Amino acid sequence: MENIFHIENLNLSYGEKHVLKNINIDLYKNKVTAFIGPSGCGKSTLLRCLNRMNDLIPSCNITGTLKYKDNEVKEINPMLLRTEVGMVFQNPNPFPMSIFDNVAYGPRCQGIKNKAVLTKIVVDSLKKAALYDEISDRLKDSALSLSGGQQQRLCIARTIAMSPEVILMDEPTSALDPIATLKIEELIDELKKDYTIIIVTHNMQQATRVSDYTAFFMLGEIVEYDTTEELFKNPKKKKTEDYITGRFG
């Protein structure tokens, strides 16, 4: 199986605070990998290493190996990396502009000005995000007029419009109701045909529903990493078993 990220002996500190400790993991192409574990255990911090979002924090220091498609992440231009490794955040964050302009924003920044080309990118991206049928007659409306679940799918469409290879999702459904959550989960299942998806989730049922692989984090370390089915049915470590059976966390 082809890996898209290779991580070896990765350590990350914010000043004196050691947040990630000796992380070793391969993340596989066209698979969904879930990061689970209690709050503050390093899941989102590792996710943000994958597209250099932690570079924005002055006190952050990273050592070890982190490769994306065999290239050291620290040597890849951050703007290029974030085009290929897109991110969807916990709370939907549409821009205060029209639905069309939200999705067209990235391609325009890349220099695409042709209206027909932009329209095709917008429509295709909204279709891939399972949103087009709901809002096809409202593309000129403000993105802020959409429901929370629709806004999150719009943010996914905005990411797709940049033609990424990887989509990072940091608890993408934690602010959504159960029906909107189900739509996002169905969407993730559809998207993995074309993209590699890495999702941070507090919801273990969600991890079992959407992911192929699961990594369980505790106190900045990966305790266990396996196929989702194996990790939840036959955990090798007692800490993992205690967490997934609700004994702590």
Side-chain angles (χ1 to χ4, degrees), residues 4-5 7 25-36 43-44 46-48 50-51 68 85-88 165-172 188 192 195-201 210-213 215 217 225:
I4 197 157
F5 282 102
I7 301 171
I25 191 170
D26 282 320
L27 301 168
Y28 300 110
K29 191 176 167 74
N30 291 102
K31 299 291 181 189
V32 180
T33 302
F35 292 172
I36 64 167
K43 309 181 295 291
S44 293
L46 182 60
L47 193 76
R48 287 162 180 270
L50 302 178
N51 70 346
Y68 168 63
V85 183
M87 189 151 190
V88 176
E165 294 216 14
V166 181
I167 301 175
L168 308 177
M169 297 185 169
D170 195 356
E171 295 192 60
I188 289 169
K192 76 174 183 188
Y195 309 95
T196 302
I197 297 174
I198 299 144
I199 178 170
V200 167
T201 178
V210 304
S211 68
D212 303 295
Y213 288 84
F217 288 71
Y225 177 51

Side-chain angles (χ1 to χ4, degrees), residues 7 33 37 50 60 73 99 106 109 116 126 130 134 138 161 167 191 197 200 216 224:
I7 301 171
T33 302
L50 302 178
C60 181
V73 162
I99 293 166
C109 289
L126 289 168
E134 293 172 36
R138 296 170 54 198
I167 301 175
L191 289 174
I197 297 174
V200 167
F216 168 52
E224 190 164 343

Side-chain angles (χ1 to χ4, degrees), residues 38-97:
S39 292
C41 65
K43 309 181 295 291
S44 293
T45 302
L46 182 60
L47 193 76
R48 287 162 180 270
C49 288
L50 302 178
N51 70 346
R52 292 187 57 176
M53 291 288 278
N54 290 317
D55 287 17
L56 306 171
I57 301 164
S59 62
C60 181
N61 181 46
I62 302 172
T63 61
T65 301
L66 171 51
K67 288 186 175 181
Y68 168 63
K69 297 198 296 189
D70 294 330
N71 297 303
E72 280 281 358
V73 162
K74 64 188 174 197
E75 291 168 11
I76 303 171
N77 177 301
M79 298 308 291
L80 178 65
L81 181 66
R82 289 173 200 146
T83 300
E84 290 203 22
V85 183
M87 189 151 190
V88 176
F89 296 92
Q90 185 169 358
N91 292 304
N93 57 345
F95 303 140
M97 53 179 72

Side-chain angles (χ1 to χ4, degrees), residues 65-190:
T65 301
L66 171 51
K67 288 186 175 181
Y68 168 63
K69 297 198 296 189
D70 294 330
N71 297 303
E72 280 281 358
V73 162
K74 64 188 174 197
E75 291 168 11
I76 303 171
N77 177 301
M79 298 308 291
L80 178 65
L81 181 66
R82 289 173 200 146
T83 300
E84 290 203 22
V85 183
M87 189 151 190
V88 176
F89 296 92
Q90 185 169 358
N91 292 304
N93 57 345
F95 303 140
M97 53 179 72
S98 73
I99 293 166
F100 184 97
D101 287 341
N102 261 269
V103 184
Y105 184 86
R108 279 185 178 133
C109 289
Q110 290 178 315
I112 297 171
K113 300 282 185 272
N114 183 295
K115 186 76 193 294
V117 174
L118 281 172
T119 300
K120 184 176 188 321
I121 291 171
V122 170
V123 170
D124 288 351
S125 301
L126 289 168
K127 283 180 176 174
K128 282 189 174 180
L131 185 58
Y132 184 74
D133 290 348
E134 293 172 36
I135 51 97
S136 58
D137 57 345
R138 296 170 54 198
L139 296 182
K140 291 181 179 173
D141 291 3
S142 168
L144 304 178
S145 69
L146 299 175
S147 71
Q150 288 175 326
Q151 286 186 12
Q152 193 63 303
R153 279 181 285 149
L154 177 67
C155 293
I156 293 170
R158 197 171 65 195
T159 301
I160 289 170
M162 299 293 284
S163 302
E165 294 216 14
V166 181
I167 301 175
L168 308 177
M169 297 185 169
D170 195 356
E171 295 192 60
T173 63
S174 66
L176 305 180
D177 63 64
I179 292 168
T181 294
L182 180 62
K183 285 195 170 174
I184 300 280
E185 289 182 2
E186 288 171 346
L187 177 58
I188 289 169
D189 201 47
E190 194 61 33

